[in-house]
Amino acid sequence: MHHGTAVRAACLLLAVLGLASCTSRSNDAVEPPKPTTPAEAAPGADGVGDPYYPKDGNGGYDVTAYHVSISYDPRSRNLNGDTRITAKATGDLDRFNLDLNGLKVSAVEVDGEAATFERTGEHELVITPAATVADDAGFTTRVRYAGVPQGTESGSLGENGWQIAQSGGAFAAGEPHSATAWYPANDTPRDKATFKLDARVPNGWSVVSNGRERPPTRGSDGWTTFHWVEPTRIATYLTTVGIDKWSIDRSTLPGGIPVVSAYAPGAENKREVESRLPEVIAFLSSKFGPYPQSAAGGIYINESIGFSLETQGRPIYASWAELPVVVHENAHQWFGNTVTVQSWADICLNECFASYAQWLWDEAKEGVNLDDQYRQEVSRASNRFWSGKLYDMGAGNEFTAVYDKGPMALHALRREIGDRAFDRVLKEWPTKHRDGNASWPEFEQFVQDVAGKDLSGFFAAWFHTDSEPEERYLYPGSLGN
């Protein structure tokens, strides 16, 4: 994510201002961090147990595929939905939950048989199938629902979830929550699945989403259904739908990856920015390895929302977004999208790296001396700047320091372990965890294995505490010259 206020550290789901950090330790023998990942949630649990958002997601099953079908009328703002969720049980399920905000459910089926259901809490849909789903069995849940979708919450960067465009269209965007504003889901980044969307809208409107587009189906009733298929597993918060009177450009990257870029009315002037996308992806691929998504492009809305977001393969860009944000959001296709956080405490794995990608771009394309830039940042950093942590920063603080202090910490790490080891980290980490999930403690161990040295003091100073690192960690390698 990239927020609108911190331009020099543009981030994907952007935080208001970057303020996080870690204090230094005078002793290298620091106890390694404990992962914040609890044991797997019990079957039927109403959350997976992420310490920050314990009611997100649900226990007892692993989703393998979503097939979301919606009809949306921009005039009435009413949505009718019919979603099929294919999953595998991880325990015997005499009942289980899905997450869904606000919309009224009319019917639920499990493997074709009617199931009973009730709503509890803020977003729980509790389902009791006609027969217990056995451990390790595959099963399909169908949910039919309708209503006027709402935002899921207001975060530090603004509204999340379903949002209405100036044109009268609509789009879904938000982190950590947005998907459940328009379809039922196991709403946790730990449960990634393939995603298919069929979206029916009145003629004159069109729909853009994740993955690869299929030819639309034009009905005889004045409505057209648009089809999108994302074959690469995706976290729910990275899914999107945009309904508008889009201007759409189509092309392919070298190697045949399809590029679909959509511009809302009034956002057509962003074509010049998006024209740099092949160059951006080629550059990022040279740093991080082959592009890991099934498709590429961008969704340019004509709205000044507080963030842009790395929706998988096709980021959503606010009206203020320029080239640095395109670099940032596409870096997330590696750091955040193909390798997804295990828990929200691990968010530096997403935002620190996407923010540092902007530094790498400036170094390569603009000739910026990053050591000089780093020293300038240190010289003007306040106590407030240093006052947050980059790992396990606490619920509500995820999108803060990672944008400003985060890239500085990674540049210091680069100088601490040297370019050769750092380059290996940038390429080998996304390859090792491609299409999966990972935690920050795993990353620290990975870097130490690559570098062949104990970095516990360095990581404690930069990522685990909330004051300025002591000099040996603040000015490692060439930064001390």
Side-chain angles (χ1 to χ4, degrees):
M1 169 190 295
H2 192 293
H3 59 93
T5 53
V7 174
R8 62 192 173 102
C11 53
L12 192 94
L13 249 203
L14 282 36
V16 204
L17 277 176
L19 3 124
S21 186
C22 337
T23 64
S24 50
R25 302 284 191 199
S26 59
N27 184 353
D28 275 17
V30 175
E31 191 164 324
K34 300 291 193 298
T36 59
T37 307
E40 183 175 336
D46 61 357
V48 296
D50 185 305
Y52 292 4
Y53 304 99
K55 298 299 185 183
D56 283 7
N58 305 282
Y61 61 93
D62 173 45
V63 177
T64 56
Y66 291 98
H67 184 177
V68 180
S69 298
I70 61 171
S71 292
Y72 182 75
D73 186 348
R75 290 168 297 181
S76 67
R77 299 185 179 178
N78 192 73
L79 180 147
N80 286 280
D82 186 347
T83 290
R84 288 176 169 84
I85 301 164
T86 304
K88 185 176 183 179
T90 59
D92 293 335
L93 294 177
D94 55 9
R95 71 172 217 174
F96 61 94
N97 287 22
L98 290 167
D99 301 308
L100 181 66
N101 283 82
L103 299 166
K104 183 175 178 58
V105 175
S106 58
V108 177
E109 297 173 6
V110 178
D111 287 337
E113 298 290 328
T116 58
F117 60 92
E118 63 175 327
R119 304 297 290 270
T120 64
E122 292 183 5
H123 53 69
E124 301 295 337
L125 173 62
V126 184
I127 298 168
T128 304
T132 297
V133 178
D135 182 21
D136 212 37
F139 66 103
T140 299
T141 304
R142 180 183 183 186
V143 182
R144 280 171 279 189
Y145 53 98
V148 176
Q150 305 294 322
T152 55
E153 66 202 351
S154 286
S156 59
L157 303 177
E159 191 76 11
N160 284 257
W162 193 268
Q163 305 189 49
I164 303 301
Q166 296 179 54
S167 63
F171 61 95
E175 183 181 2
H177 309 113
S178 59
T180 54
W182 61 290
Y183 68 94
N186 192 30
D187 197 22
T188 169
R190 296 181 194 175
D191 194 359
K192 298 161 72 169
T194 61
F195 180 78
K196 181 178 180 181
L197 173 66
D198 301 317
R200 178 175 170 268
V201 293
N203 291 346
W205 298 88
S206 58
V207 178
V208 64
S209 184
N210 307 91
R212 301 187 174 212
E213 63 178 334
R214 300 289 181 257
T217 306
R218 193 174 183 91
S220 58
D221 57 356
W223 291 62
T224 299
T225 303
F226 294 82
H227 309 283
W228 294 87
V229 177
E230 174 54 285
T232 304
R233 296 194 318 145
I234 183 172
T236 48
Y237 80 92
L238 297 171
T239 63
T240 191
V241 60
I243 298 157
D244 218 315
K245 298 180 178 179
W246 301 106
S247 299
I248 296 180
D249 294 338
R250 298 172 177 87
S251 59
T252 56
L253 295 173
I257 291 173
V259 179
V260 177
S261 299
Y263 308 88
E268 297 88 351
N269 62 336
K270 293 299 182 179
R271 279 191 163 98
E272 184 177 353
V273 173
E274 183 72 350
S275 70
R276 303 285 298 274
L277 179 64
E279 179 188 0
V280 168
I281 290 180
F283 172 76
L284 296 173
S285 297
S286 74
K287 296 294 183 182
F288 306 149
Y291 182 70
Q293 305 301 341
S294 69
I299 302 171
Y300 288 83
I301 58 176
N302 190 27
E303 316 296 324
S304 59
I305 61 173
F307 59 88
S308 294
L309 182 62
E310 63 270 26
T311 41
Q312 189 157 302
R314 194 160 290 114
I316 292 176
Y317 297 107
S319 57
W320 45 261
E322 298 293 344
L323 184 61
V325 184
V326 175
V327 173
H328 182 108
E329 304 305 343
N330 281 282
H332 276 299
Q333 306 310 314
W334 287 264
F335 290 91
N337 293 18
T338 190
V339 185
T340 304
V341 294
Q342 181 71 15
S343 296
W344 288 105
D346 304 312
I347 194 65
C348 188
L349 290 174
N350 297 12
E351 300 301 343
C352 295
F353 284 88
S355 298
Y356 192 62
Q358 296 172 240
W359 283 42
L360 293 172
W361 175 271
D362 290 344
E363 179 182 45
K365 301 291 184 176
E366 307 294 337
V368 173
N369 183 309
L370 295 186
D371 284 359
D372 288 347
Q373 177 174 309
Y374 174 95
R375 293 187 195 100
Q376 290 170 6
E377 296 287 345
V378 170
S379 70
R380 61 187 180 211
S382 63
N383 289 337
R384 180 177 172 85
F385 178 89
W386 297 113
S387 65
K389 293 196 298 182
L390 293 173
Y391 170 65
D392 202 7
M393 60 290 291
N397 298 318
E398 303 95 307
F399 304 109
T400 53
V402 288
Y403 298 113
D404 289 340
K405 183 181 171 186
M408 291 178 64
L410 290 183
H411 190 65
L413 177 63
R414 176 181 171 185
R415 293 299 181 235
E416 175 73 25
I417 66 176
D419 275 352
R420 186 171 181 180
F422 190 74
D423 290 347
R424 282 187 59 197
V425 168
L426 293 183
K427 283 191 172 75
E428 294 177 20
W429 175 257
T431 300
K432 178 180 175 68
H433 295 283
R434 180 167 179 159
D435 196 28
N437 296 78
S439 70
W440 183 261
E442 287 179 292
F443 177 76
E444 290 191 5
Q445 186 59 57
F446 176 80
V447 175
Q448 292 180 104
D449 291 344
V450 169
K453 60 190 287 190
D454 177 13
L455 297 167
S456 57
F458 178 91
F459 283 123
W462 272 103
F463 295 91
H464 298 277
T465 50
D466 55 3
S467 60
E468 182 177 334
E470 65 179 90
E471 191 162 333
R472 60 173 162 163
Y473 300 129
L474 192 59
Y475 295 108
S478 61
L479 290 170
N481 295 335

